[in-house]
PDB file of all heavy atoms in Angstrom:
ATOM      1  N   LEU B  98     -29.064   9.330  31.690  1.00  0.00           N
ATOM      2  CA  LEU B  98     -30.278  10.118  31.514  1.00  0.00           C
ATOM      3  C   LEU B  98     -30.055  11.391  30.660  1.00  0.00           C
ATOM      4  O   LEU B  98     -30.839  11.735  29.784  1.00  0.00           O
ATOM      5  CB  LEU B  98     -30.896  10.500  32.835  1.00  0.00           C
ATOM      6  CG  LEU B  98     -31.461   9.380  33.700  1.00  0.00           C
ATOM      7  CD1 LEU B  98     -31.650   9.814  35.117  1.00  0.00           C
ATOM      8  CD2 LEU B  98     -32.757   8.843  33.116  1.00  0.00           C
ATOM      9  N   GLY B  99     -28.914  12.013  30.858  1.00  0.00           N
ATOM     10  CA  GLY B  99     -28.544  13.174  30.082  1.00  0.00           C
ATOM     11  C   GLY B  99     -28.383  12.822  28.648  1.00  0.00           C
ATOM     12  O   GLY B  99     -28.849  13.498  27.729  1.00  0.00           O
ATOM     13  N   GLU B 100     -27.807  11.641  28.410  1.00  0.00           N
ATOM     14  CA  GLU B 100     -27.622  11.185  27.018  1.00  0.00           C
ATOM     15  C   GLU B 100     -28.947  10.884  26.403  1.00  0.00           C
ATOM     16  O   GLU B 100     -29.216  11.108  25.180  1.00  0.00           O
ATOM     17  CB  GLU B 100     -26.738   9.951  27.011  1.00  0.00           C
ATOM     18  CG  GLU B 100     -26.503   9.311  25.606  1.00  0.00           C
ATOM     19  CD  GLU B 100     -25.384   8.394  25.591  1.00  0.00           C
ATOM     20  OE1 GLU B 100     -25.578   7.274  25.953  1.00  0.00           O
ATOM     21  OE2 GLU B 100     -24.315   8.724  25.067  1.00  0.00           O
ATOM     22  N   ARG B 101     -29.862  10.359  27.217  1.00  0.00           N
ATOM     23  CA  ARG B 101     -31.107   9.998  26.656  1.00  0.00           C
ATOM     24  C   ARG B 101     -31.932  11.247  26.329  1.00  0.00           C
ATOM     25  O   ARG B 101     -32.625  11.293  25.253  1.00  0.00           O
ATOM     26  CB  ARG B 101     -31.959   9.122  27.633  1.00  0.00           C
ATOM     27  CG  ARG B 101     -33.104   8.316  26.927  1.00  0.00           C
ATOM     28  CD  ARG B 101     -33.834   7.470  27.885  1.00  0.00           C
ATOM     29  NE  ARG B 101     -33.015   6.358  28.336  1.00  0.00           N
ATOM     30  CZ  ARG B 101     -33.488   5.488  29.290  1.00  0.00           C
ATOM     31  NH1 ARG B 101     -34.655   5.596  29.743  1.00  0.00           N
ATOM     32  NH2 ARG B 101     -32.690   4.460  29.704  1.00  0.00           N
ATOM     33  N   ILE B 102     -31.788  12.304  27.160  1.00  0.00           N
ATOM     34  CA  ILE B 102     -32.472  13.538  26.928  1.00  0.00           C
ATOM     35  C   ILE B 102     -32.009  14.134  25.578  1.00  0.00           C
ATOM     36  O   ILE B 102     -32.853  14.482  24.693  1.00  0.00           O
ATOM     37  CB  ILE B 102     -32.290  14.551  27.997  1.00  0.00           C
ATOM     38  CG1 ILE B 102     -33.027  14.073  29.241  1.00  0.00           C
ATOM     39  CG2 ILE B 102     -32.772  15.936  27.600  1.00  0.00           C
ATOM     40  CD1 ILE B 102     -32.722  14.923  30.486  1.00  0.00           C
ATOM     41  N   ARG B 103     -30.730  14.148  25.406  1.00  0.00           N
ATOM     42  CA  ARG B 103     -30.218  14.760  24.084  1.00  0.00           C
ATOM     43  C   ARG B 103     -30.409  13.961  22.959  1.00  0.00           C
ATOM     44  O   ARG B 103     -30.782  14.397  21.825  1.00  0.00           O
ATOM     45  CB  ARG B 103     -28.729  15.113  24.248  1.00  0.00           C
ATOM     46  CG  ARG B 103     -27.798  13.990  24.011  1.00  0.00           C
ATOM     47  CD  ARG B 103     -26.406  14.414  23.725  1.00  0.00           C
ATOM     48  NE  ARG B 103     -25.625  13.211  23.731  1.00  0.00           N
ATOM     49  CZ  ARG B 103     -24.239  13.145  24.023  1.00  0.00           C
ATOM     50  NH1 ARG B 103     -23.658  14.274  24.441  1.00  0.00           N
ATOM     51  NH2 ARG B 103     -23.550  12.084  23.940  1.00  0.00           N
ATOM     52  N   SER B 104     -30.417  12.612  23.129  1.00  0.00           N
ATOM     53  CA  SER B 104     -30.647  11.715  22.019  1.00  0.00           C
ATOM     54  C   SER B 104     -32.071  11.733  21.540  1.00  0.00           C
ATOM     55  O   SER B 104     -32.376  11.822  20.325  1.00  0.00           O
ATOM     56  CB  SER B 104     -30.232  10.272  22.383  1.00  0.00           C
ATOM     57  OG  SER B 104     -30.494   9.409  21.387  1.00  0.00           O
ATOM     58  N   HIS B 105     -33.028  11.625  22.467  1.00  0.00           N
ATOM     59  CA  HIS B 105     -34.461  11.671  22.106  1.00  0.00           C
ATOM     60  C   HIS B 105     -34.748  13.004  21.496  1.00  0.00           C
ATOM     61  O   HIS B 105     -35.487  13.146  20.547  1.00  0.00           O
ATOM     62  CB  HIS B 105     -35.323  11.464  23.369  1.00  0.00           C
ATOM     63  CG  HIS B 105     -35.421  10.046  23.829  1.00  0.00           C
ATOM     64  ND1 HIS B 105     -34.788   8.973  23.197  1.00  0.00           N
ATOM     65  CD2 HIS B 105     -36.106   9.480  24.833  1.00  0.00           C
ATOM     66  CE1 HIS B 105     -35.090   7.882  23.778  1.00  0.00           C
ATOM     67  NE2 HIS B 105     -35.865   8.124  24.813  1.00  0.00           N
ATOM     68  N   ALA B 106     -34.292  14.145  22.067  1.00  0.00           N
ATOM     69  CA  ALA B 106     -34.619  15.476  21.506  1.00  0.00           C
ATOM     70  C   ALA B 106     -34.108  15.537  20.122  1.00  0.00           C
ATOM     71  O   ALA B 106     -34.724  16.087  19.168  1.00  0.00           O
ATOM     72  CB  ALA B 106     -33.992  16.541  22.401  1.00  0.00           C
ATOM     73  N   THR B 107     -32.889  15.060  19.837  1.00  0.00           N
ATOM     74  CA  THR B 107     -32.289  15.116  18.536  1.00  0.00           C
ATOM     75  C   THR B 107     -33.080  14.242  17.577  1.00  0.00           C
ATOM     76  O   THR B 107     -33.507  14.703  16.483  1.00  0.00           O
ATOM     77  CB  THR B 107     -30.859  14.610  18.516  1.00  0.00           C
ATOM     78  OG1 THR B 107     -30.087  15.348  19.479  1.00  0.00           O
ATOM     79  CG2 THR B 107     -30.235  14.734  17.156  1.00  0.00           C
ATOM     80  N   HIS B 108     -33.454  13.049  17.934  1.00  0.00           N
ATOM     81  CA  HIS B 108     -34.215  12.180  17.147  1.00  0.00           C
ATOM     82  C   HIS B 108     -35.585  12.680  16.821  1.00  0.00           C
ATOM     83  O   HIS B 108     -35.989  12.779  15.643  1.00  0.00           O
ATOM     84  CB  HIS B 108     -34.296  10.776  17.713  1.00  0.00           C
ATOM     85  CG  HIS B 108     -35.247   9.880  16.907  1.00  0.00           C
ATOM     86  ND1 HIS B 108     -36.432   9.452  17.402  1.00  0.00           N
ATOM     87  CD2 HIS B 108     -35.136   9.369  15.682  1.00  0.00           C
ATOM     88  CE1 HIS B 108     -37.068   8.720  16.442  1.00  0.00           C
ATOM     89  NE2 HIS B 108     -36.257   8.695  15.436  1.00  0.00           N
ATOM     90  N   LEU B 109     -36.313  13.144  17.868  1.00  0.00           N
ATOM     91  CA  LEU B 109     -37.672  13.598  17.667  1.00  0.00           C
ATOM     92  C   LEU B 109     -37.796  14.783  16.726  1.00  0.00           C
ATOM     93  O   LEU B 109     -38.522  14.847  15.822  1.00  0.00           O
ATOM     94  CB  LEU B 109     -38.331  13.812  18.981  1.00  0.00           C
ATOM     95  CG  LEU B 109     -38.632  12.647  19.898  1.00  0.00           C
ATOM     96  CD1 LEU B 109     -39.074  13.066  21.321  1.00  0.00           C
ATOM     97  CD2 LEU B 109     -39.686  11.763  19.224  1.00  0.00           C
TER      98      LEU B 109
END
Side-chain angles (χ1 to χ4, degrees):
Chain B
L98 292 164
E100 180 167 76
R101 199 177 295 176
I102 291 170
R103 81 163 174 209
S104 178
H105 282 359
T107 305
H108 172 249
L109 290 171

